[in-house]
Amino acid sequence: MSDHNQVKITTMDFSGERPKAENPLKIQDLSFRDGHQSLFATRGRTEDMIPVAEMMDEVGFWALETWGGATFDAMHRFLNEDPWERIRTLKRYIKKTRFSMLLRGQNLVGYRNYADDVAKAFVERAAHNGIDIFRTFDALNDYRNFETVVPVIKECGKHFQGCICYSLTERRLGGEVYNLEYYVKKAKELEAMEANSICIKDMAGLMAPYDAYALVKALKDVVSVPLHLHSHFTSGMASMTHLKAVEAGVDILDTCMSPYGFRTSHPALEPLVMTLMGTNRDTGFDIKALAEINEILEKDIIPKYRYLLDETKVSIIDINVLVHQTPGGMLSNLVNQLREMDALDKLDKVYAELPKVRKDLGQVPLVTPMSQIVATQSINNVLFDDEKERYKMITAQVRDLCYGLYGKTPAPVNPEVRKKALKDYPRGEKPITCRPAEVLEPELDKAKEDVKGLAADLEDVLIYALYPVTGKRFLKWKYGKEEPPEKVKPRTLEDVKAEQELIKKALAGKLVEKKEKEVPSKGNNLRKFNVFVDDEYFEVGVEEIGGSPIVSYIQQAQRQMQAQGPVAFAPTAAPQPQAAQPTPEKPAEPAKPVITASKKMESDTQGTPLKSPMPGIIVSYKKQVGDSVNTGEIVVILEAMKMENALPSPAGGIIKSINFASGDPVARNDVLCVIG
Ligand code: MN
């Protein structure tokens, strides 16, 4: 490595000119994508980027990350925004700075591998609409999953940035899988694919500062294209990691404007600008211009999103990440999932199971969707395995992974687990070794056919092809075929102000607490009584429940009442018809029958119940009432925690009843069907 990149501190004359750095550090800003994705559940709206867009264009960023990752999903699902329109709109304000997007390789901006025809069309449309840099990654670092998209990126004349997902099995860089040799090999693979730059993607904030130094130095020695570091702040190390990476000669860093920085997001830009000022890596950015952008963000934009910040903890870092070398998001999901299952006491067992499952599954990097796959299988093992049998309930995604549908794992999969996972697997019991998308049938023509008459162009079709259910719903909103619900509409600053007023009042003790006691619904047997207390008159509804009469409602008839002290109502009082008697506002409704989950727990049908082992949503029943079934045969597919679980029959016999339908939510222990 030349020492061209080494940091040299030059004495700066602060009263005079700021010398132009010999090799300025380049910065990509992530505020418009990863910033709000990390802090505000990807809910950032295009209209909230416009007020600072032109100013951001003047800063001098290497690129602005504006698209990809979860934005495509969140925009059409939660914001009623056309994802394609965001690129076009921002391009009208940002004319100089390049746009970058996060592309999940063959997963595009979704959560599964799409067919090649969809992948090609997607990349071509993204480039056409204004994406200049395609930051491309694969959850397994299996670059065969880049083979379809990269030629399209190149044909469109765009920048292909190849990513290496940074992962660890030990506390620090090293060990049998994720050592320096591994990363060097991956970087060489990317350079051989003609990557225009290489990014180390530290999505979990696991990279320790001195490991960053060693890694950046090692990679700079073997690759000639620019090296870019993306490190999340989650564990609190990233600012130090950034600085050591700069010292080791990194070319480009990812940061956010400070209101979008820190916590699970990225280090902020402003302290870095100041840190490097006067050195040969000086960014050259105008700190005053950054402050002006910040002021707009703080005053006019961030207040709308503040409610989305996770403020359950005082600490802005997650030290569990340091303890478990596991992404923060994955850990908080684990806790939530266990809580839902009423099994939070098993958390330590799940922590112990995680590394075992990960090892069995080939030491996959813990990035979406692998982190969810490992987490859910670990929970299943802790909850359902016993001394006699491991991997009793294997998720569909683990079966796909064992088949090779995601690609090649960094280390081999445990052959016993693989054999068990692939028993009766629909695509076959022998795993594939080819590029995963080779086994996928083309999908685009069918998608076009499905949304004929609804989709106006290929971009619409792609929204549907990637997200069939929510994508179709969005297209109906877009073309006025369906009214979008209230909740997809933006929050305004006025909404926020009204809320803040309420909070102020509450803090001042001026808000009266609403009674939490629930009023039972009026039944058929309601009888009305007029009750007189001195000059006051009340209409009292009385209904007999289970033998003893109870007071069901009291309607005050006279508005101007004086404090009378406690009043006892006599349900036996005879009603006296009065001229001024108020009539009830509406006739008493018969109480609606409520089917509760607990009702489904006690089944009327004689037989063996198949109970739901966890809360989830019914995907489908594999059997109908009257079908015969063997013990262990799959009866129900249940989606829980984004994973599909195949539930086997606990007994042999005939399906006597099926209690739910596809799409129904179920609670733990609900009887899904009865076998008799
Ligand atoms: Mn990220």
Side-chain angles (χ1 to χ4, degrees), residues 30 33-34 37-38 102 135 201-203 230 232 266:
L30 309 179
R33 204 283 298 177
D34 212 350
Q37 179 172 326
S38 298
L102 181 65
R135 170 176 287 177
K201 182 177 158 65
D202 174 26
M203 55 276 162
H230 175 90
H232 279 260
H266 299 265

Side-chain angles (χ1 to χ4, degrees), residues 79-104:
L79 307 178
N80 188 21
E81 272 197 53
D82 186 335
W84 301 101
E85 188 51 47
R86 173 167 295 173
I87 318 175
R88 295 191 289 261
T89 301
L90 290 178
K91 275 277 160 175
R92 288 201 288 274
Y93 296 88
I94 301 166
K95 299 196 162 95
K96 291 187 277 193
T97 316
R98 293 182 298 176
F99 280 12
S100 163
M101 77 164 285
L102 181 65
L103 183 72
R104 297 166 175 158

Side-chain angles (χ1 to χ4, degrees), residues 64-237:
L64 287 166
E65 192 190 38
T66 53
W67 213 61
T71 59
F72 195 96
D73 182 0
M75 287 175 77
H76 86 276
R77 187 190 299 259
F78 301 117
L79 307 178
N80 188 21
E81 272 197 53
D82 186 335
W84 301 101
E85 188 51 47
R86 173 167 295 173
I87 318 175
R88 295 191 289 261
T89 301
L90 290 178
K91 275 277 160 175
R92 288 201 288 274
Y93 296 88
I94 301 166
K95 299 196 162 95
K96 291 187 277 193
T97 316
R98 293 182 298 176
F99 280 12
S100 163
M101 77 164 285
L102 181 65
L103 183 72
R104 297 166 175 158
Q106 195 83 21
N107 291 351
L108 306 176
V109 287
Y111 302 97
R112 67 169 176 93
N113 279 332
Y114 295 97
D116 286 341
D117 58 349
V118 171
K120 284 178 191 163
F122 180 86
V123 171
E124 189 278 322
R125 282 291 90 192
H128 177 88
N129 276 284
I131 296 300
D132 304 292
I133 297 165
F134 288 80
R135 170 176 287 177
T136 311
F137 83 95
D138 176 69
L140 293 177
N141 287 329
D142 181 349
Y143 298 142
R144 294 174 308 167
N145 289 325
F146 290 3
E147 283 174 14
T148 299
V149 293
V150 168
V152 187
I153 297 168
K154 294 277 179 185
E155 278 158 30
C156 294
K158 302 300 183 183
H159 181 119
F160 159 48
Q161 179 170 81
C163 273
I164 312 170
C165 293
Y166 185 75
S167 199
L168 292 175
T169 55
E170 318 293 320
R171 296 216 150 168
R172 293 279 302 272
L173 177 62
E176 276 177 26
V177 183
Y178 298 107
N179 46 40
L180 272 182
E181 295 71 49
Y182 173 85
Y183 292 106
V184 164
K185 180 174 161 272
K186 287 290 158 191
K188 283 181 176 168
E189 280 179 46
L190 289 173
E191 205 170 39
M193 292 183 92
E194 293 179 31
N196 301 97
S197 59
I198 291 172
C199 174
I200 313 163
K201 182 177 158 65
D202 174 26
M203 55 276 162
L206 299 177
M207 193 183 291
Y210 289 106
D211 289 342
Y213 188 86
L215 183 57
V216 169
K217 272 223 177 273
L219 295 187
K220 286 299 290 178
D221 277 345
V222 293
V223 294
S224 55
V225 294
L227 192 62
H228 196 148
L229 175 63
H230 175 90
S231 188
H232 279 260
F233 190 75
T234 321
S235 69
M237 291 192 289

Side-chain angles (χ1 to χ4, degrees), residues 82 84 88 125 454-462 478-479:
D82 186 335
W84 301 101
R88 295 191 289 261
R125 282 291 90 192
L454 182 60
D457 51 28
L458 183 55
E459 285 140 25
D460 284 346
V461 173
L462 285 164
K478 181 178 171 185
Y479 294 111

Side-chain angles (χ1 to χ4, degrees), residues 570-585:
T572 48
Q576 290 284 330
Q578 288 230 343
Q581 184 186 343
T583 49
E585 278 165 27

